[in-house]
Amino acid sequence: MSLGDEHGSRGEDSGYGGSGQTRTRYPDSAGDVYGGARRGGRSSYRSLITVVGVVVLLIAAIAFANRGGGDSGSSDGGEERADAAPTAASGKQPVETKAGGIPSGFAQDEQGAESAAANYAVALGSTNMFKKDSRHEIVDTIYTSAAASKLQGPMDKAYSAGFLSRLGLDADGNPPKGSTFVSRTIPVGTKVEEYSNTSAKVAVWYMGLIGMSGEVSTDPVSPTWKTWTFNLQWSNGDWKITSDSQKDGPAPVPGDDTAATSDEISKAIEEYGGFTYAR
């Protein structure tokens, strides 16, 4: 949904929606948050089993393909197998610098654009987007200056005290004492749809986690699957977002996992940190 589409359908915001400059998704209900945490219906934790199964199979396949043997081919054969897999690691090191806590200094090539898009999706899907100061820092860091200047005001309006309250947060974006608010974006893969030395269009397929973990929560943490497409521009030595849009899916068939308790989810969120994503 573009900025113009969403705000064109909401009378109080329609004035900004006609700018046509930057496309993004704003929250407009208790189940709709920036960065892909919107749920078009409650998803089951069972969908996570598919991801685990795919990862296990992938690891096994890689281990089998890379087994050494007396009659095995040269190292060139291994490179050919890696090139044939669209999600194979490039072997390049991830970035070592950060701006505002977000990875920066991506390479000016397709892999750099993919890494930038994946890391930007993570930042935009984080709980920091629900707090004004950190949200402003994120937007100023990963969008072009022109795009950021147009987004800040409408975003502040979208993340209103009323909207935050519907999510169980206070006006500053904090959860109730004893509860943990969860909002995470976990990229599964990236795809370059268009590329030049100065611009790129990259799609990020990801799973999002959203909800409140706590004994009195009425909105438990659950997953959602989305594809987030970023239009990037090479600006001041790094990739920056000029516009972005999202669509639902593709979502795997739900599995049969047993849902964790709120305490287990809260503990996992506190103990397991995120990643820096590199192609």
Side-chain angles (χ1 to χ4, degrees):
M1 180 181 292
S2 69
L3 178 62
D5 293 339
E6 174 120 351
H7 288 271
S9 64
R10 296 165 58 188
E12 61 181 7
D13 299 328
S14 59
Y16 182 80
S19 65
Q21 296 297 315
T22 302
R23 300 175 65 212
T24 190
R25 182 192 294 268
Y26 294 141
D28 61 1
S29 71
D32 191 357
V33 303
Y34 192 85
R38 183 175 184 267
R39 292 194 298 276
R42 178 74 59 184
S43 298
S44 170
Y45 275 97
R46 296 181 301 173
S47 62
L48 294 178
I49 195 170
T50 303
V51 180
V52 176
V54 170
V55 171
V56 172
L57 291 175
L58 180 59
I59 292 174
I62 292 174
F64 178 81
N66 290 331
R67 285 189 305 178
D71 297 330
S72 63
S74 66
S75 59
D76 291 341
E79 292 177 359
E80 290 174 358
R81 284 193 297 271
D83 290 342
T87 56
S90 68
K92 292 185 178 181
Q93 295 296 315
V95 296
E96 298 180 353
T97 58
K98 289 188 176 183
I102 302 171
S104 64
F106 299 98
Q108 191 176 7
D109 55 23
E110 290 191 19
Q111 293 177 4
E114 288 181 273
S115 294
N119 283 284
Y120 294 165
V122 171
L124 290 170
S126 70
T127 56
N128 286 333
M129 287 297 294
F130 296 83
K131 298 180 179 181
K132 183 176 181 179
D133 290 344
S134 55
R135 179 173 65 250
H136 279 218
E137 184 175 15
I138 290 172
V139 173
D140 285 338
T141 298
I142 67 179
Y143 284 85
T144 63
S145 57
S149 65
K150 290 180 171 63
L151 284 172
Q152 297 290 20
M155 279 192 177
D156 288 345
K157 186 176 181 179
Y159 286 90
S160 65
F163 167 71
L164 295 176
S165 177
R166 292 196 296 274
L167 291 175
L169 304 171
D170 64 19
D172 295 321
N174 299 308
K177 185 177 180 180
S179 297
T180 302
F181 178 62
V182 180
S183 180
R184 284 197 184 187
T185 297
I186 305 99
V188 177
T190 58
K191 178 179 67 174
V192 175
E193 297 186 344
E194 298 175 11
Y195 181 80
S196 72
N197 286 335
T198 57
S199 64
K201 184 178 182 180
V202 180
V204 180
W205 178 36
Y206 72 91
M207 181 184 73
L209 295 177
I210 181 70
M212 186 74 73
S213 177
E215 293 183 359
V216 296
S217 173
T218 58
D219 187 25
V221 180
S222 61
T224 182
W225 291 86
K226 304 280 184 178
T227 299
W228 204 337
T229 301
F230 295 93
N231 289 305
L232 304 173
Q233 176 182 307
W234 187 255
S235 176
N236 297 322
D238 210 350
W239 292 108
K240 302 291 183 179
I241 305 171
T242 59
S243 63
D244 55 285
S245 61
Q246 295 194 58
K247 64 179 181 180
D248 294 338
V253 176
D256 296 316
D257 296 275
T258 300
T261 65
S262 61
D263 287 343
E264 290 173 329
I265 292 295
S266 297
K267 184 177 180 181
I269 291 298
E270 293 171 358
E271 294 182 347
Y272 293 89
F275 299 95
T276 296
Y277 289 84
R279 186 67 173 89

